[in-house]
Every structure is written in C-alpha cells, then in structure tokens.
Amino acid sequence: MATKVQLAQRPEADELLGRSPLAALVGMLLDQQIPMEWAFSGPYTIAQRLGTDDLDAHEIAACDPERFAALLSEKPAVHRYPGSMAKRVQQLCQYLVENYDGDAEKVWKDVDGGKELFKRLNGLPGFGKQKAQIFLALLGKQYGVRPEGWREAAGAYGEEGSHRSVADITGPESLAKVRAFKQEMKAAAKAGK
C-alpha cells in the first residue's frame, strides 16, 4: 500500500501512515477534538512506545488495558483524552482481529462498491457516519482505493477539489485551506444557534 501522504506533517509519522493500513485507521480514529496533525502522528508515537516500526492489531488487542492507557498517556500524550482513546484503539483492534484476522486492509480490499465500503467503515468501533465518509474519501483520494461509487458513498467529502477534511490534505497549503473551511463551518453553526 506504500503511499506518500502528508497527514501528520512529520515525515516519519507520514511514512508509517503511507505504508500501514492499521496506522491510517488508528489516525482517523484519533482525529477528534485535537488538531489533525496530532491525531495522525499518534500511530507513529504508539508504534515507537511499543518498540516496533508498525502497529499490530493482535498485539494491541491483547495488550493489558491499563498498560496500553499508560502508553498513550506518557508525555507528550497521544491524545487530549488518552485513557478513553486507548480503550477505543483497543476496541478497534479487537474488532479487526475478530472480523478481519487483524488485517486492517481487508476492510477495504475486494469490496463490491462504495456503499459496501461505507457500511464496513461505519461498522468499525469509533467510526460514525461522518468519520466513515471522511476515511472513505481519504482512501479514494490518497490511497487509490476507488471501488465503484466511492465518491457518492463519501458524500461531500468525496467531491473533487474540496477542502473539507483530512482526505484533502496533501501538504501545508491544503492543511491551511481545510482549517479555514472547518472554522467557517464552526462559525456558521454558532451563528445558526
């Protein structure tokens, strides 16, 4: 799967995201209530603290929950809420072990179409509709995973040339555009209350 991405804006973290389907999924899972670069640097930090060069769903699923939470809580913490996110990462890995032999790529490999891929992503622990659509758009736009109907299944996040989400980040310039879009959305939501 080796793909060149710039989601974490850190070469070593982006290199892992580009070659590890599980790292990409975990980064997406962590992408809430913290800056995107922090979220997508998380998988690299976790791998480093586990003493490996990649994430392993079997290893993470089997890890003692308190030890894993402590690992994510070490300074600098992997997330603003390291304890609850440690639990979510382990739930995701347990689900992958039970349903996909621990192979994250099997979630999207040989999928029949965009709707099916959306359904699979939406079924992952910690992935709601929006997160599933954003990750589907990320797979299509940056990882070359483009089953028939993927743009439609990704909703507005699948639109070509948009700057709505992490799916559209290809460097510092696009990151700034996505940030500006998110700020506009927040302002509009606040004004609508």
Side-chain angles (χ1 to χ4, degrees):
M1 167 173 146
T3 303
K4 185 164 176 32
V5 294
Q6 292 186 17
L7 307 174
Q9 306 285 304
R10 286 178 54 203
E12 63 283 3
D14 283 328
E15 189 275 329
L16 175 62
L17 294 168
R19 67 176 161 80
S20 171
L22 181 56
L25 265 183
V26 169
M28 189 72 230
L29 180 69
L30 294 172
D31 187 18
Q32 60 189 57
Q33 299 175 314
I34 60 172
M36 290 173 278
E37 313 90 300
W38 184 8
F40 282 92
S41 291
Y44 178 76
T45 305
I46 295 168
Q48 290 244 283
R49 291 178 184 173
L50 287 170
T52 61
D53 68 349
D54 197 356
L55 299 181
D56 181 313
H58 293 277
E59 180 186 357
I60 293 171
C63 199
D64 173 69
E66 283 181 23
R67 179 179 168 259
F68 194 68
L71 204 82
L72 270 68
S73 300
E74 275 177 39
K75 299 276 186 254
V78 169
H79 194 276
R80 178 183 290 161
Y81 304 107
S84 65
M85 291 317 276
K87 191 186 235 168
R88 285 190 172 178
V89 170
Q90 282 196 291
Q91 288 169 339
L92 174 64
C93 288
Q94 285 157 353
Y95 183 88
L96 292 171
V97 167
E98 290 164 17
N99 296 280
Y100 296 99
D101 302 321
D103 183 354
E105 193 172 17
K106 285 185 178 177
V107 174
W108 53 86
K109 206 172 176 105
D110 305 322
V111 75
D112 286 336
K115 281 183 183 166
E116 170 71 15
L117 179 51
F118 169 76
K119 196 173 144 196
R120 287 183 184 188
L121 292 169
N122 198 33
L124 296 173
F127 278 65
K129 179 183 182 206
Q130 186 180 28
K131 196 175 281 281
Q133 285 185 315
I134 292 169
F135 194 73
L136 201 162
L138 178 63
L139 287 172
K141 289 178 175 183
Q142 298 202 40
Y143 288 93
V145 177
R146 299 181 180 116
E148 194 173 322
W150 73 271
R151 283 193 191 273
E152 294 76 11
Y157 300 104
E159 289 173 7
E160 209 166 334
S162 67
H163 288 94
R164 293 177 180 275
S165 72
V166 69
D168 304 308
I169 296 173
T170 55
E173 192 179 305
S174 53
L175 173 63
K177 288 180 182 175
V178 169
R179 278 239 159 78
F181 176 82
K182 287 180 174 238
Q183 285 167 340
E184 283 173 33
M185 292 296 101
K186 276 185 185 150
K190 218 177 242 181
K193 281 186 178 169

